[in-house]
Amino acid sequence: MLYSTFASANPLAQQSWDQVVAQAKAEGTVTFNVWYLQPQWRSFVSDFEKKYGIKVRIPEGSIDGNMNKLLAEARREKGKMDVIALSVAQLPITRKANALAQVDWLPTYKDALHELQSVDTEGYAVAFWGNQTGMAYDPQQMGNQPLPQTLEDLQRFIDANPKKFGYNDPNNGGAGEAFIQRIVTISSADFDANATQVDPAIVKNWSKGWQWFASNKEKITQTASGADSLTRLNDGELLLVPAWEDHMMGLQKTGAITGRLKFYVPKFGMPGGGNIAAIAANSSHPAASAVFLNWLVQADTQQALHATFGSVPMNKQLKSPSTQPESPTQFYGKEYSMQLRKEFVRQVTLQ
């Protein structure tokens, strides 16, 4: 059986899947460049290694370092990178460099998600890791207080619990930026946050959001980072903080914070996002890369990723976890995100 959409674009796509698997086993190894949780990933891929007899190498590396290496090797006949995790923002750069192989012929491609944060991967990558921002809290410390669902609810909570709500500087973590984006958008009205040109009139209208932060400056706590927020929540200093669900669960599994902490997405919405995975166009292990990526996005692997890391499943066959909203709010695009962080420094930090 052939799985090719663009068979001429990838020689492997003209073979049966059994032939691809046989070649993958003969290659015997594959490299997966992912920039986070490398020790946990090395343990997680053991099921793949047992099933196929293919060794998975997961090197140390940063998100920018991995991409720079991919781009540096793009013109070589054979590179050292096989499967690589990327942020959605990195996709256009890697595509322009012709650094990625088409993957739309893989058996599980039809069930994978190919569009993330309003970006279509166009057959060159699949979403493999979903994440969601929301609010983390300690039920024991929260007691009978209702969880804030609207901005009005949150204001009442802040008024009743001075300095017990904390959020991190947007320049040091996405959870804080996610919360700030929601305050700004809800206070100032929706706009095209994915536009590549920043509209000065829209930025000027953000003043209503900055007024919210100014009026609450003495009542809320600004933390150094998302990790700092969760640590201070864990220690009882704070009662409620914006957080990434997968980040919180990861810290809980390592014992860094108590497993008692819970997560929810308020009705006023918090942004969700995710990461994509692709195969280097000049991979030295093309068949093993195909088999690994196919395994990574299949339903049972995605369920295992959610159970292990708290990531949102990226497979159409699976239902989203109860904490995942039906219509996730999107993060601002690159240009407006950069502008928001600059304005935050001017309007909040330096005031």
Side-chain angles (χ1 to χ4, degrees), residues 121-334:
T121 63
E122 299 180 335
Y124 286 89
V126 289
F128 78 99
W129 181 284
N131 47 33
Q132 176 66 48
T133 61
M135 296 292 181
Y137 66 99
D138 183 347
Q140 183 172 300
Q141 298 293 332
M142 186 70 75
N144 294 324
Q145 296 186 81
L147 299 176
Q149 296 291 349
T150 66
L151 285 190
E152 291 76 16
D153 291 343
L154 181 60
Q155 188 63 63
R156 284 190 288 270
F157 177 86
I158 291 170
D159 292 340
N161 301 277
K163 293 294 185 180
K164 291 295 185 178
F165 174 78
Y167 72 102
N168 66 274
D169 185 314
N171 294 289
N172 292 314
E177 181 176 357
F179 172 70
I180 295 163
Q181 286 184 12
R182 293 309 294 151
I183 293 293
V184 165
T185 301
I186 295 170
S187 301
S188 309
D190 287 325
F191 62 96
D192 181 8
N194 287 307
T196 55
Q197 294 291 327
V198 173
D199 185 340
I202 289 174
V203 175
K204 185 178 180 180
N205 201 36
W206 288 354
S207 60
K208 299 173 185 177
W210 304 136
Q211 289 171 10
W212 186 93
F213 286 97
S215 65
N216 284 295
K217 189 170 185 178
E218 301 304 318
K219 301 178 186 177
I220 58 181
T221 300
Q222 189 178 133
T223 66
S225 64
D228 185 42
S229 293
L230 288 169
T231 297
R232 293 162 83 166
L233 176 67
N234 180 76
D235 295 343
E237 177 187 346
L238 301 174
L239 292 180
L240 187 69
V241 299
W244 291 99
E245 182 179 20
D246 56 341
H247 184 203
M248 186 188 81
M249 286 188 64
L251 291 174
Q252 288 177 319
K253 286 184 177 295
T254 62
I257 60 175
T258 177
R260 194 174 63 239
L261 302 184
K262 300 295 183 183
F263 175 92
Y264 79 104
V265 179
K267 290 181 180 177
F268 63 74
M270 288 285 280
N275 304 321
I276 57 177
I279 297 174
N282 59 354
S283 165
S284 296
H285 309 100
S289 296
V291 173
F292 180 79
L293 187 59
N294 191 71
W295 170 83
L296 188 61
V297 296
Q298 64 189 31
D300 56 351
T301 306
Q302 286 294 306
Q303 283 182 316
L305 281 170
H306 172 66
T308 303
F309 297 107
S311 59
V312 178
M314 296 281 103
N315 186 292
K316 296 173 186 176
Q317 294 182 1
L318 301 177
K319 291 183 178 180
S320 296
S322 58
T323 54
Q324 177 75 357
E326 290 185 9
S327 300
T329 302
Q330 298 295 318
F331 275 99
Y332 288 5
K334 180 181 178 180

Side-chain angles (χ1 to χ4, degrees), residues 1 3 15-25:
M1 181 177 180
Y3 294 93
Q15 302 179 30
S16 70
W17 186 245
D18 286 343
Q19 289 174 316
V20 174
V21 172
Q23 181 177 326
K25 290 180 177 179

